[in-house]
């Protein structure tokens, strides 16, 4: 063993300040620090008691160097000291490894296990002859505590798998039950098992989705993503499903149960289905079905209008008008409807063909067809106008219709004789009623023309 008072080494720190601001004071802290002496002025480190590698092979301390200035400044460093055996033969380090398993959610104060050896469980070893002391590890928050005399490992605060799933404790076991006291180190691994204490959560609820009505079936619309704060494994593996949807049309929307990708199953039509609603559920895969947790999100899908409908004529394809109607008279209101919305459904009108000599005018906005020039049935009786109704969408869609305008006759023409003077000869002694000759006249108006026969005396 190493005798008391042996110089282990000298620790040195530098402070560029002057006077008291640069004068340093050294201090030592850590488990079993009483076995060493650190000179506060020179930084020389000596053993304060005999050291044996069989009792403890390694020590870890924190050395602090502080100046005497105002305010006081300090710095720390970690010191590891290994106690080597004076035997030339190789020895196995006196370190034991143990593992304990505990479940997330265990109540504080509960015993999760013990590091006490089985041969110390009986009463032959008196109380206080073996002590247990935590000297290191990864439990920085003091989640666990080891009973100094019994070796039982207690839970100090509630475990959270998501904050820490594995801990390591370095426990020094000192045995004073024998003639020569000894100590050894236990490296205790504590594994925390996840419990399904978190339900899946969606980051946004409700969700608004906007899609055009001309999207093709099979296209991806949206990806639902839920987060389960449980650890890796079945407790955080999620399954997606559609819980409710409106309208209740089967296969209109398809949801991938693993990825959460929502795809379109059928063609959409804004005019029949301007919006859709659905509730999506995310369920974890806890091994015990009764312990599975779930979360849901409401999604509303708005189907935007595309210019997929051409105007449709609602007004008749034939109309009649008296030939003596004045200029400006409205013959007909041409009406066409477009099922699209906005500019896609706004309709304008024009005459594409058949308006000989510009007899008619068509208001592009109201659809009123009126007389622009005086009509004369005797000149033209029927007009076949090609009317075009077109929307203002992109691409622009249009529909045409042939409108037959029938001009109705009025009695605006006088009869006209074929000649101004008629002459005839008749034999004498003809009886009454004898036809001498026939005088004819024409009338451009429609209907019957009276014919008059001249008697023999004229």
């Amino acid at each position: 063993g190493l005798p008391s008072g042996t110089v282990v080494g000298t620790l040195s720190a530098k402070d560029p300040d002057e006077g008291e601001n640069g004068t340093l004071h050294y201090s030592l802290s850590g488990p079993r620090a009483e076995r060493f002496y650190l000179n506060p002025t020179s930084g020389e480190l000596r053993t304060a008691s005999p050291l044996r590698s069989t009792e403890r092979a390694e020590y870890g301390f924190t050395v602090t160097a502080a100046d005497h200035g105002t305010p006081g400044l300090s710095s720390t460093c970690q010191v590891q000291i290994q106690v080597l055996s004076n035997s030339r033969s190789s020895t196995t380090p006196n370190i034991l490894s143990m593992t304990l398993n505990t479940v997330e959610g265990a109540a504080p104060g509960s015993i999760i296990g013990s590091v006490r050896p089985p041969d110390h469980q009986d009463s032959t070893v008196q109380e206080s002859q073996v002590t247990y002391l935590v000297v290191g590890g990864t439990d920085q928050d003091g989640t666990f505590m080891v009973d100094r005399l019994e070796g039982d490992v207690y839970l100090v605060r509630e475990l959270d798998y998501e904050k820490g799933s594995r801990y390591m404790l370095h426990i020094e076991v000192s045995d004073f039950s024998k003639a020569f006291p000894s100590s050894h180190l236990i490296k205790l691994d504590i594994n925390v098992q996840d419990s399904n204490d978190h339900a899946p959560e969606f980051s946004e609820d409700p969700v608004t989705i906007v899609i055009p009505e001309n999207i093709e079936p099979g296209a991806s619309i949206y990806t639902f993503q839920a987060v389960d704060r449980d650890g890796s494994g079945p407790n955080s593996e999620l399954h997606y499903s559609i819980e409710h949807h409106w309208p209740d049309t089967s296969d209109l929307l398809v949801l991938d149960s693993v990825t959460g990708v929502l795809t379109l199953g059928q063609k959409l039509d804004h005019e029949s289905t301007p919006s859709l609603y659905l509730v999506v559920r995310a369920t974890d895969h806890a091994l015990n079905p009764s312990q599975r947790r779930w979360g849901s999100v409401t999604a509303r899908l708005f189907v935007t209008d595309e210019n997929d409908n051409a105007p449709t004529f609602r007004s008749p394809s034939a109309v009649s008008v008296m030939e003596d109607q004045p200029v400006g008279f409205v013959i007909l209101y041409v009406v066409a409807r477009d099922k699209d919305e906005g500019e896609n459904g706004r309709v304008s009108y024009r005459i594409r063909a058949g308006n000989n000599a510009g007899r008619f005018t068509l208001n592009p906005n109201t659809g009123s067809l009126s007389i622009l020039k005086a009509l004369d049935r005797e000149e033209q009786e029927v007009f076949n106008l090609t009317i075009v109704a077109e929307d203002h969408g992109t691409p622009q869609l249009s529909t045409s219709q042939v409108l037959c305008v029938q001009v109705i006759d009025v009695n605006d023409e006088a009869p006209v004789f074929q000649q101004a003077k008629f002459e005839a000869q008749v034999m004498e002694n003809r009886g009454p009623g004898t036809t001498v000759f026939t005088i004819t006249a024409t009338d451009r108006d429609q209907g019957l023309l009276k014919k008059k026969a001249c008697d023999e005396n004229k």
Side-chain angles (χ1 to χ4, degrees), residues 315-333:
S315 54
S317 59
V319 66
S320 60
V321 58
M322 303 298 290
E323 66 174 327
D324 62 347
Q325 292 292 357
V327 172
F329 176 77
V330 177
I331 303 171
L332 173 73
Y333 280 94

Side-chain angles (χ1 to χ4, degrees), residues 362-429:
L362 180 62
N363 188 296
N365 298 317
T366 64
S368 61
L369 179 68
S370 57
I371 300 173
L372 184 61
K373 295 180 180 179
L375 299 177
D376 187 357
R377 188 208 65 82
E378 288 71 33
E379 183 178 337
Q380 185 171 347
E381 182 178 359
V382 176
F383 295 86
N384 289 314
L385 304 179
T386 301
I387 307 297
V388 176
E390 54 194 4
D391 60 29
H392 290 252
T394 303
Q396 191 176 47
L397 300 179
S398 63
T399 303
S400 62
Q401 179 192 62
V402 176
L403 176 62
C404 179
V405 180
Q406 179 76 38
V407 181
I408 304 301
D409 183 47
V410 295
N411 192 23
D412 58 347
E413 299 285 343
V416 178
F417 288 98
Q418 292 181 347
Q419 57 191 64
K421 181 181 180 181
F422 294 88
E423 293 183 0
Q425 294 180 347
V426 61
M427 298 296 293
E428 64 178 336
N429 300 323

Side-chain angles (χ1 to χ4, degrees), residues 50-65:
L51 301 179
R52 294 181 177 84
S53 62
T54 56
E55 294 179 358
R56 185 178 180 120
E58 185 175 350
Y59 295 86
F61 304 112
T62 299
V63 176
T64 302

Side-chain angles (χ1 to χ4, degrees), residues 31-32 35-36 51-61 79-85 93-95 135-136 170 172 183-185 187:
R32 295 289 192 259
R35 293 191 176 187
F36 296 86
L51 301 179
R52 294 181 177 84
S53 62
T54 56
E55 294 179 358
R56 185 178 180 120
E58 185 175 350
Y59 295 86
F61 304 112
V79 176
Q80 297 289 330
I81 301 175
Q82 291 183 338
V83 181
L84 303 178
S85 173
N94 196 14
I95 299 176
V135 295
H170 294 172
E172 183 184 50
S183 66
H184 63 275
L185 186 68
K187 290 186 176 180

Side-chain angles (χ1 to χ4, degrees), residues 213 270-271 274 303-309 338-346 391-393:
E213 67 174 329
H270 168 82
E271 287 69 42
V303 182
T304 59
D305 182 47
E306 298 294 324
N307 195 27
D308 58 346
N309 292 286
D338 193 315
K339 293 190 293 182
D340 294 317
E341 293 183 348
E343 290 297 288
N344 295 334
R346 185 166 69 90
D391 60 29
H392 290 252

